[in-house]
Amino acid sequence: MTPQDSRTTALITGASAGIGAEFARQLAGQGHDLVLVARDRARLEKAAADLEQQYGITAEALPADLTDDAGVAAVVARLTDDARPVEILVNNAGRGLVGDFEENSISDEKQGLVLHCQVPLELTHAVLRGMLARGSGRIINVASIAAFMPRGTYSAAKAWLLSFSRWANAAYGKRGVKVTAVCPGLTHTEFHERMGMDKSVTPPWMWLTAERVVREGLADSLRGRAVSVPSRRYKALAVVGPLLPGRLVTRRAPRVK
Ligand code: NAP
């Protein structure tokens, strides 16, 4: 039996849409039971029911706002329930912020940092002891290609998540817990619409599908890779990006709102 065949439970944050919903579909397709986390209860419950029906797995809806302490506490409680171990954690919930740093409200900026850094840190901490005790587990942190270039607070937060994942994979991989940062480039999801961005300004060749991002991310996670960058074009950017001169990389992107 390969690790892919063994039935375990996966908890996915941001599972109601986009990349998180695709993680839910592909992990259900591999026979894993699921815990789905996001804010929209009705949407989560429908997704859970559909996945149960389609794949014959068990899917729990766990509605929680991860920028709220009570929401995080509910997810931590589920992750530390030893009677129902979680073997795969996908830290995926996230969102963009369209304005310039100095114009955004500090509360929006702080919420972004919580969602992209503090929440993955807390959920990883919660799930890790059980995984180490069992000698197995996988943690997937959805970062971004933006982690490889200094372009605003979003990319700074994703750079933290990338570095955290690299370190954690090196520290815990030999004890059976694999940690992978999945670093997508532009991907068709609800992310850009939620920000009010016009996607037509970006050439079609730059766009990935969530299906590909997740398929490659899950394969790299099974192989124990610390970093997964889907597609050759974005793999090349991950190599070149850190070498580009700062003035080029930090140049202000055109306003799209
Ligand atoms: P999406 O389609 O907008 O989905 C975002 C998910 O996160 C939804 O399920 C949303 O559900 C959930 N979410 C947002 N805020 C939340 C909160 N406070 N608490 C709990 N759940 C919350 O976006 P996506 O593109 O799939 O984004 C997933 C991840 O990929 C993010 O971390 C993003 O930074 C990263 N990423 C995306 C792209 C891209 O081009 N799309 C590129 C690189 C990286 P509710 O609204 O119901 O809470």
Side-chain angles (χ1 to χ4, degrees):
M1 185 182 267
T2 66
Q4 198 164 339
D5 296 323
S6 58
R7 183 167 179 162
T8 57
T9 298
L11 185 146
I12 304 157
T13 70
S16 61
I19 293 169
E22 185 60 27
F23 267 110
R25 264 190 295 280
Q26 292 193 26
L27 286 166
Q30 293 177 5
H32 298 285
D33 293 326
L34 301 173
V35 184
L36 308 178
V37 179
R39 290 166 299 183
D40 186 332
R41 175 187 290 273
R43 205 172 171 190
L44 272 188
E45 286 174 351
K46 177 161 188 338
D50 289 350
L51 290 165
E52 284 189 341
Q53 196 185 19
Q54 190 172 354
Y55 296 103
I57 51 104
T58 302
E60 284 168 61
L62 175 45
D65 183 344
L66 295 173
T67 60
D68 179 73
D69 286 346
V72 177
V75 181
V76 166
R78 180 62 186 83
L79 289 172
T80 50
D81 181 349
D82 291 335
R84 299 181 297 159
V86 169
E87 286 285 350
I88 304 173
L89 167 64
V90 184
N91 282 308
N92 164 78
R95 60 140 169 85
L97 211 52
V98 84
D100 288 330
F101 174 63
E102 75 280 9
E103 289 170 5
N104 291 336
S105 79
I106 194 61
S107 88
D108 279 350
E109 288 285 350
K110 282 162 80 175
Q111 279 196 356
L113 200 58
V114 166
L115 199 54
H116 297 130
C117 300
Q118 188 175 308
V119 168
L121 174 94
E122 254 183 278
L123 301 190
T124 298
H125 189 265
V127 82
L128 191 57
R129 280 191 200 164
M131 287 181 171
L132 290 172
R134 293 187 294 275
S136 71
R138 287 156 64 196
I139 299 171
I140 297 171
N141 294 319
V142 181
S144 169
I145 192 69
F148 295 90
M149 287 154 281
R151 283 181 63 83
T153 52
Y154 176 81
S155 82
K158 294 298 191 178
W160 182 90
L161 193 56
L162 172 62
S163 178
F164 174 66
S165 306
R166 281 181 161 144
W167 159 77
N169 194 53
Y172 298 115
K174 48 189 174 291
R175 295 170 66 186
V177 180
K178 301 168 181 173
V179 184
T180 304
V182 170
C183 301
L186 291 169
T187 306
H188 287 297
T189 65
E190 297 175 11
F191 187 87
H192 303 90
E193 282 88 349
R194 286 181 195 239
M195 286 166 69
M197 276 180 69
D198 176 6
K199 289 168 72 175
S200 68
V201 297
T202 323
W205 63 265
M206 290 187 73
W207 291 91
L208 299 169
T209 62
E211 189 281 328
R212 180 174 188 177
V213 169
V214 171
R215 179 168 34 84
E216 295 190 18
L218 285 175
D220 285 333
S221 154
L222 271 177
R223 291 186 197 108
R225 293 203 173 137
V227 183
S228 175
V229 181
S231 85
R232 277 203 208 149
R233 55 196 180 277
Y234 282 112
K235 277 186 175 62
L237 190 55
V239 173
V240 173
L243 308 175
L244 293 172
R247 67 180 189 292
L248 196 69
V249 179
T250 56
R251 202 166 58 189
R252 200 162 173 273
R255 293 302 292 268
V256 284
K257 196 176 178 186

